[in-house]
């Protein structure tokens, strides 16, 4: 870790300082305004939201970094994952643990399969035309949303019982919380570390990072970049689906959740710097915290959720004005 | 043919001034006859519909096909103006903005909020605002852009002084202020953000528009914006603009004004793109760094285009809302939907073509209106080709062919016999690929027919439209990368090239034959 900080570029060092200062300001505001207990709860909620956003945003960031595709269908991946997982959960017999596991596996595999077909069949012919990819994924996202609505109906689905292991409560900051929330945070951290290790400690990770830098050079070295592209796309789709399924016991499944998280994820990768994994991870948590604090603030003072809904976007505009490539982005 | 004949006749005119005049006139007519024809058709559109459907242009009761289609056509024309302004950014300048809806919605909101809540103190506040913006821009902008900023802002200041110092504000004044405000917003956001390239700029504009959408929807400003219900403006609209489909003919007049508005916007964009500034814009689209190296201040031109496009979007948005039947400004006019709509229309019609966005918008909007008023049963197969499963089956078949194209090619070579890429081989291969696709699609359709029990279900097109649009979109992106008009233009260009080549070959051969 020490070597990491020693080798930072000046810009990234400044970004780290900005991040730390910003979080400190958020913490101070919430401590001064809500008192210790509520501030703690708000922070906890913020981290939780941040982890959920991370699951969607990491896939988006990986895909953008390597493939230069801003995948607007990422929200639809989350949506499909959630609905398919929900369906499987209701159909499988057995205890809640078995059902939940079945939901996770089937949802992730199904969405990964969709991702694979989409990348190989539709996106691959369009690598030479970036704007069209954007538009194509946008259209596909609309189609997926429509299909899910057609197949599962427009009514929101109620939250389901989490696995028995996590179905008890614990007390934190004077509030009783389900262990499932802790599980989501742990899941997010595990995925963060997992993807970090995958990118930094494995052969495939080296190829992916090299591909982010210069795909043609990687190809010239005799590596089949197309296969790596597909793998990354599938990985991103699977992560989004995992996020969707993790949401089911927390807030159920609604048709709007895909787009809601897509916008947050886009904000995250813009703030973090496109294609930078550390940036995505840090920005997810910042965005989650901002959103939670703004929600609490508008609840306490404004009697309307304007601040909560605009806070994240305003943060993004501010970051873009200060640092046009995002906090941890590569220079032009 | 016609051209050669006409110009041959003109050459025979003895008087030189008369000949010059005739030549100019002939050129004007010959180059623009298509647009003139379209204009006349649009102008006569209500009468044509009335003749076809047996309804009245100015019905005594507020019903009838002609009256209905007048408003639909007018709305489609305003949306076409929006698409053209988006094309000005996206197709002609290479600026990808995701916040164009901000300008579209702002027209209605600013105008009617001003009319509802005007007081004399507003002038001073507006002056302070303008001065603040000027200060900010002076800090942010660079040299050449500063000239643009100064000119625009002094114009805005002058216009603000014309506002009434007391009493109510009229519709036209409010609309002018809305236009000025949109100028300021596009100028500010342009100067500050256009230095940010590509995807970051798109995201910035997206965030900006989303912020205003959220503000318009939120209950905090309900007394101004009407929150989610929208801003009702029926009582604010001047009677001349309050179109009613009755015998007084106000709707018909308004329709004709809309057609004129559309024509003016179209000609303005055409003129802009053929001006020197437009040429620079094309250069910037193709390669911004090269344009910079040649010595153009690219930011200046980009901001100028953005201001122009923003102004057009504001005006067409205002006109679109006036044509709304419920006379309410909905917050959705600020949402991403009204950015995506012109984007799609531009892509489907043809990026960087003048007529493409117009054709796509008119076709899709009027088609949607027509289809939404009908219901279709799958059993009758009228709408069968567009039904859900068929689309899915075609998409899956296409995706499968795409995924397995290498193994398919190998299999095909085993069937046909691998060989040099002769025309015969290419033909056979094409037939083989098409055959595989058709077979796959047919099998999938059969399975679908077996699986789907509700074959006789009545489908309302309103349910299917979004799916159809999405599918159309994917098909256009995959198959027609240049859009409808772009592909058409390319086809013609290739044909003309072929003919020219043939002509040259013949001439060469003739020259060779005449030599001993």
């Amino acid at each position: 870790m020490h070597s990491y900080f020693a080798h930072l570029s000046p810009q990234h060092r400044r970004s780290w300082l900005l991040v730390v200062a910003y979080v400190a300001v958020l913490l101070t505001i919430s401590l001064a305004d809500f008192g210790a207990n509520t501030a703690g709860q708000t922070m906890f909620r913020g981290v939780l939201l941040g982890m959920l956003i991370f699951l969607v945003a990491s896939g988006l960031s990986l895909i953008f970094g390597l493939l230069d595709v801003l995948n607007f269908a990422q929200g639809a991946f989350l949506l499909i994952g959630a609905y398919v997982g929900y369906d499987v959960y209701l159909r499988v017999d057995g205890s809640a643990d078995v059902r939940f596991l079945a939901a996770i596996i089937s949802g992730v595999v199904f969405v990964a399969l969709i991702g694979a077909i989409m990348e190989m069949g539709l996106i691959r012919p369009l690598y030479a035309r970036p704007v069209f990819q954007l538009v194509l994924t946008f259209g596909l996202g609309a189609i997926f949303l429509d299909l899910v609505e057609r197949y599962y109906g427009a009514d929101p689905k109620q939250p389901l019982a989490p696995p028995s292991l996590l179905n008890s409560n614990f007390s934190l900051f004077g509030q009783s919380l389900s262990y499932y929330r802790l599980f989501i945070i742990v899941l997010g951290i595990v995925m963060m570390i997992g993807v970090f290790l995958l990118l930094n400690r494995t052969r495939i990770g080296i190829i992916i990072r090299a591909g982010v830098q210069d795909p043609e050079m990687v190809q010239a070295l005799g590596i089949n970049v197309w296969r790596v592209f597909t793998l990354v796309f599938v990985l991103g789709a699977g992560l989004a689906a995992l996020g969707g399924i993790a949401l089911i016991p927390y807030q159920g499944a609604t048709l709007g959740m895909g787009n809601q998280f897509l916008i947050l994820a886009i904000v995250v990768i813009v703030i973090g710097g496109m294609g930078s994994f550390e940036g995505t991870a840090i920005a997810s948590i910042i965005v989650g915290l901002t959103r939670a604090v703004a929600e609490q603030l508008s609840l306490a003072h404004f009697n309307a959720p304007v601040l909560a809904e605009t806070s994240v976007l305003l943060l993004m505009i501010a970051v873009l004005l200060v640092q046009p490539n995002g906090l941890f982005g590569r220079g032009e | 043919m016609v051209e050669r004949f006409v110009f041959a006749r003109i050459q025979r005119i003895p008087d030189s001034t008369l000949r010059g005049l005739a030549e100019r006139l002939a050129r004007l007519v010959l180059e623009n006859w298509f647009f003139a024809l379209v204009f006349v058709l649009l102008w006569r559109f209500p009468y044509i519909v009335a003749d076809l459907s047996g309804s009245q242009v100015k019905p005594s009761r507020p019903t009838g096909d002609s009256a209905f289609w007048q408003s639909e056509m007018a709305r489609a024309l305003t949306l076409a103006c929006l698409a053209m302004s988006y094309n000005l950014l996206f197709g002609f300048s290479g600026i990808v903005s995701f916040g164009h809806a901000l300008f579209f919605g702002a027209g209605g909101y600013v105008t009617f909020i001003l009319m509802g809540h005007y007081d004399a103190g507003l002038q001073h506040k507006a002056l302070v605002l303008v001065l603040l913006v000027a200060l900010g821009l002076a800090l942010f902008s660079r040299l050449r852009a500063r000239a643009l900023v100064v000119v625009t802002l002094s114009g805005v200041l002058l216009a603000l002084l014309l506002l009434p110092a007391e009493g109510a504000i009229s519709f036209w004044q409010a609309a002018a202020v809305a236009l000025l405000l949109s100028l300021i917003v596009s100028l500010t956001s342009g100067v500050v953000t256009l230095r940010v390239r590509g995807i970051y700029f798109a995201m910035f504009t997206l965030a900006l528009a989303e912020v205003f959408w959220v503000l318009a929807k939120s209950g905090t400003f309900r007394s101004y914006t009407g929150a989610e219900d929208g801003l009702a403006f029926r009582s604010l609209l001047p009677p001349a603009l309050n179109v009613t489909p009755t015998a007084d003919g106000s709707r018909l007049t308004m329709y004709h004004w809309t057609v004129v508005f559309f024509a003016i916007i179209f000609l303005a964009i055409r003129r802009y793109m053929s001006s020197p500034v437009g040429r620079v814009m094309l250069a910037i689209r193709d390669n911004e760094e090269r344009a910079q190296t040649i010595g153009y201040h690219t930011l200046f031109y980009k901001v100028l285009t953005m201001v122009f496009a923003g102004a057009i979007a504001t005006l067409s948005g205002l006109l679109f809302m006036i044509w709304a039947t419920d006379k309410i400004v909905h917050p959705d006019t600020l949402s991403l939907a009204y950015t995506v709509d012109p984007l799609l229309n531009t892509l489907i019609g043809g990026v960087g073509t003048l007529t493409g966005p117009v054709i796509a918008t008119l076709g899709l909007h009027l088609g949607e209106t027509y289809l939404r008023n009908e219901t279709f049963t799958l059993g009758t197969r009228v709408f069968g080709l567009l039904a859900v499963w068929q689309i899915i089956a075609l998409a899956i078949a296409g995706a499968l062919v795409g995924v397995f194209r290498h193994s398919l090619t190998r299999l095909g070579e085993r069937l046909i016999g691998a060989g040099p890429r002769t025309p015969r081989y290419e033909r056979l291969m094409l037939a083989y690929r098409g055959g595989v696709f058709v077979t796959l699609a047919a099998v999938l359709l059969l399975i679908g027919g077996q699986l789907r029990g509700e074959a006789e279900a009545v489908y309302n097109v309103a349910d299917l439209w979004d799916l159809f649009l999405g599918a159309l979109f994917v098909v256009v992106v995959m198959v027609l990368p240049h859009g409808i008009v772009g592909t058409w233009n390319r086809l013609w260009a290739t044909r003309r090239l072929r003919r020219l080549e043939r002509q040259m070959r013949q001439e060469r051969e003739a020259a060779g034959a005449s030599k001993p």
Side-chain angles (χ1 to χ4, degrees):
Chain A
M1 216 56 199
H2 173 259
S3 65
Y4 171 78
F5 282 104
H7 292 106
L8 278 179
S9 69
Q11 187 211 330
H12 287 195
R13 201 167 296 167
R14 197 177 64 154
S15 299
W16 268 108
L17 279 180
L18 277 178
V19 167
V20 171
Y22 181 71
V23 173
V25 166
L26 277 186
L27 205 62
T28 322
I29 290 177
S30 45
L31 273 177
D33 208 281
F34 318 133
N37 264 352
T38 320
Q41 287 164 22
T42 309
M43 289 295 153
F44 184 78
R45 228 182 13 257
V47 174
L48 178 72
L49 184 63
M51 289 304 164
L52 284 169
I53 299 171
F54 171 76
L55 287 179
V56 183
S58 58
L60 203 64
S61 168
L62 274 178
I63 293 173
F64 184 82
L66 185 65
L67 282 62
D68 267 335
V69 181
L70 189 61
N71 180 21
F72 269 110
Q74 193 79 0
F77 286 156
L78 175 130
L79 189 71
I80 297 174
Y83 271 83
V84 169
Y86 198 96
D87 201 25
V88 169
Y89 188 99
L90 290 186
R91 285 185 191 206
V92 170
D93 293 328
S95 66
D97 301 357
V98 175
R99 295 163 127 195
F100 193 68
L101 203 64
I104 286 189
I105 292 173
S106 57
V108 170
V109 168
F110 185 73
V111 171
L113 214 63
I114 292 181
I117 293 179
M118 193 172 135
E119 200 275 336
M120 289 198 275
L122 294 174
I123 293 184
R124 197 171 280 180
L126 294 181
Y127 278 124
R129 294 183 278 152
V131 176
F132 283 84
Q133 285 171 348
L134 203 84
V135 173
L136 177 81
T137 52
F138 200 94
L140 284 175
I143 292 181
F144 287 147
L145 178 66
D146 210 61
L147 285 179
V148 168
E149 186 183 349
R150 206 162 291 279
Y151 200 76
Y152 290 110
D155 304 329
K157 309 276 185 205
Q158 294 305 312
L160 295 171
S164 56
L165 196 63
L166 305 168
N167 204 4
S168 52
N169 291 341
F170 67 101
S171 179
L172 187 72
F173 304 118
Q175 193 191 29
S176 169
L177 293 167
S178 158
Y179 269 109
Y180 187 75
R181 299 193 177 200
L182 206 60
F183 166 72
I184 294 182
I185 293 186
V186 173
L187 182 72
I189 293 174
V190 167
M191 282 299 147
M192 229 177 241
I193 296 172
V195 178
F196 183 80
L197 289 181
L198 176 79
L199 285 179
N200 287 293
R201 291 279 185 278
T202 61
R203 191 180 143 70
I204 199 92
I206 292 172
I207 296 176
I208 292 176
R209 280 188 299 142
V212 170
Q213 295 279 329
D214 192 345
E216 280 159 15
M217 195 63 215
V218 176
Q219 204 156 20
L221 291 173
I223 291 159
N224 189 349
V225 180
W226 298 110
R227 205 163 289 163
V228 181
F229 281 7
T230 310
L231 181 79
V232 166
F233 204 87
V234 166
L235 185 69
L239 278 171
L242 186 64
I245 298 163
L247 271 168
I248 297 176
Y250 180 50
Q251 61 173 41
T254 53
L255 285 175
M257 66 203 263
N259 280 336
Q260 180 198 344
F261 274 93
L262 177 68
I263 295 221
L264 287 174
I266 288 177
V267 168
V268 160
I269 64 169
V270 169
I271 289 180
M274 299 230 175
S276 154
F277 181 74
E278 46 175 328
T280 309
I282 295 163
S284 308
I285 295 173
I286 292 181
V287 166
L289 287 176
T290 308
R291 174 88 200 213
V293 170
E295 253 166 32
Q296 195 66 33
L297 271 178
S298 48
L299 203 68
H301 298 290
F302 300 114
N303 190 19
V306 187
L307 185 64
E309 282 169 12
T310 52
S311 61
V312 172
L313 296 167
L314 291 177
L315 179 68
M316 169 172 144
I317 291 178
V319 168
L320 273 183
L321 287 180
V322 177
Q323 199 105 292
N325 294 323
L327 289 178
F328 296 90
R330 293 163 278 165
E332 294 238 341
Chain B
M1 266 275 281
V2 182
E3 288 173 37
R4 219 175 291 160
F5 177 72
V6 169
F7 281 112
R9 285 302 292 268
I10 287 171
Q11 287 308 314
R12 270 183 251 150
I13 297 174
D15 186 7
S16 70
T17 44
L18 212 62
R19 192 167 60 227
L21 270 177
E23 220 171 67
R24 259 152 114 194
L25 187 71
R27 193 158 290 148
L28 191 72
V29 172
L30 284 173
E31 280 171 5
N32 298 301
W33 64 268
F34 178 72
F35 300 120
L37 184 71
V38 170
F39 183 78
V40 171
L41 274 182
L42 281 178
W43 191 268
R44 297 293 301 172
F45 176 75
Y47 302 96
I48 297 171
V49 174
D51 284 348
L52 285 179
S53 63
S55 58
Q56 284 166 312
V57 181
K58 299 186 223 169
S60 50
R61 295 195 314 134
T63 48
D65 275 355
S66 180
F68 172 75
W69 283 105
Q70 277 167 39
S71 63
E72 286 307 320
M73 191 63 167
R75 225 170 290 160
L77 285 178
T78 53
L79 285 177
C81 288
L82 177 68
M84 280 195 291
S85 74
Y86 195 83
N87 187 29
L88 193 63
L89 285 180
F90 175 54
F92 289 131
S93 317
I95 303 169
V96 183
S97 160
F98 274 141
H100 208 52
L102 174 60
F103 301 112
F104 189 70
Y109 267 112
V110 174
T111 309
F112 295 116
I113 287 177
L114 260 182
M115 287 181 74
H117 298 268
Y118 187 75
D119 64 59
L122 212 62
Q123 205 178 22
H124 302 290
K125 285 179 203 158
L127 280 179
V128 171
L129 178 78
V130 170
L131 289 177
L132 278 180
V133 169
L135 195 69
L137 286 181
L139 288 176
F140 266 104
S141 63
R142 290 185 204 161
L143 276 176
R144 276 290 291 284
R146 217 169 274 168
L148 185 72
V149 169
V150 168
V151 169
T152 318
L153 285 184
S154 40
V156 170
L157 276 174
L158 271 179
L160 277 178
L161 291 175
L162 296 176
L163 287 185
E166 51 199 25
I169 186 170
S170 80
F171 171 79
W172 300 108
Q173 283 166 326
V177 172
L179 186 61
L180 289 175
L181 210 64
S182 107
L183 287 187
I184 294 186
V185 170
S186 54
L187 190 69
T188 331
S189 58
V191 168
V192 175
T193 63
L194 266 178
R195 267 174 288 166
V196 185
R197 293 266 174 86
I199 211 98
Y200 285 100
F201 177 75
M203 293 303 115
F204 184 93
T205 46
L206 174 70
L208 201 65
E210 290 278 305
V211 166
F212 279 95
W213 181 46
V214 170
L215 288 181
K217 270 200 313 181
S218 76
T220 318
F221 307 105
R222 184 175 289 278
S223 61
Y224 288 96
T225 60
E228 301 226 327
D229 304 331
L231 174 64
F233 59 86
R234 194 183 291 276
S235 57
L236 299 171
L237 211 57
L241 295 176
N242 204 346
V243 285
T244 45
T246 46
D248 62 352
S250 62
R251 171 168 289 196
L252 190 64
T253 323
M254 192 64 192
Y255 171 80
H256 284 153
W257 278 116
T258 310
V259 173
V260 170
F261 171 78
F262 168 77
I264 290 175
I265 296 290
F266 182 85
L267 292 178
I269 289 179
R270 201 165 84 129
R271 182 72 192 85
Y272 183 77
M273 283 327 292
S274 58
S275 72
V277 176
R279 298 287 146 190
V280 178
M281 284 319 305
L282 291 182
I284 292 173
R285 177 191 67 181
D286 292 341
N287 190 340
E288 182 165 356
E289 272 152 23
R290 188 166 59 198
Q292 249 164 3
T293 317
I294 294 171
Y296 289 110
H297 190 281
T298 52
L299 181 68
F300 173 82
Y301 292 94
K302 281 161 89 174
V303 171
L304 191 65
T305 307
M306 202 170 147
V307 168
F308 189 42
I312 295 175
T314 310
L315 288 179
S316 51
L318 185 55
L319 199 56
F320 179 80
M321 280 151 210
I322 290 175
W323 272 104
T325 37
D326 51 1
K327 299 283 180 272
I328 288 175
V329 184
H330 288 283
D332 281 353
T333 48
L334 286 167
S335 74
L336 193 57
Y338 279 88
T339 304
V340 173
D341 193 60
L343 172 65
L344 293 197
N345 290 330
T346 307
L347 275 173
I348 291 173
V351 179
T353 59
L354 266 174
T355 47
V358 180
I359 290 175
T361 314
L362 293 190
L364 285 177
H365 187 84
L366 297 179
E368 182 185 2
T369 313
Y370 177 71
L371 289 177
R372 269 184 202 277
N373 288 324
E374 319 266 326
T375 50
F376 298 91
T377 51
L378 271 182
T380 61
R381 298 280 161 193
V382 175
F383 198 53
L385 271 180
L386 301 182
V388 190
W389 176 250
Q390 277 85 336
I391 291 175
I392 302 172
L394 290 179
I396 293 177
L400 282 177
V401 170
V403 169
F404 296 111
R405 64 186 173 286
H406 291 304
S407 33
L408 274 178
T409 312
R410 246 173 277 143
L411 195 70
E413 281 180 347
R414 201 170 298 165
L415 281 174
I416 305 165
R421 304 201 163 256
T422 54
R424 179 172 170 277
Y425 171 85
E426 297 279 340
R427 265 204 306 279
L428 279 175
M429 207 60 197
L430 193 69
Y432 161 75
R433 284 223 180 94
V436 169
F437 177 74
V438 169
T439 322
L440 260 178
V443 169
L444 284 168
L445 282 175
L446 266 179
I447 298 173
Q450 301 275 305
L451 286 181
R452 203 167 30 74
E454 13 93 73
E456 299 299 315
V458 178
Y459 272 91
N460 198 347
V461 180
D463 301 338
L464 291 177
W465 181 256
D466 293 333
L467 198 64
F468 165 67
L469 208 61
L472 177 72
F473 196 30
V474 172
V475 169
V476 165
V477 168
M478 301 301 294
V479 182
L480 290 178
H482 308 290
I484 299 168
V485 176
T487 311
W488 175 257
N489 285 350
R490 259 151 225 268
L491 263 176
W492 274 100
T494 340
R495 265 193 60 168
R496 210 168 296 161
L497 203 70
R498 293 258 163 77
R499 205 163 56 203
L500 218 65
E501 272 173 2
R502 208 167 47 233
Q503 230 167 28
M504 280 168 69
R505 202 168 50 235
Q506 280 167 2
E507 277 169 16
R508 221 177 18 243
E509 277 164 11
S514 67
K515 267 184 205 159

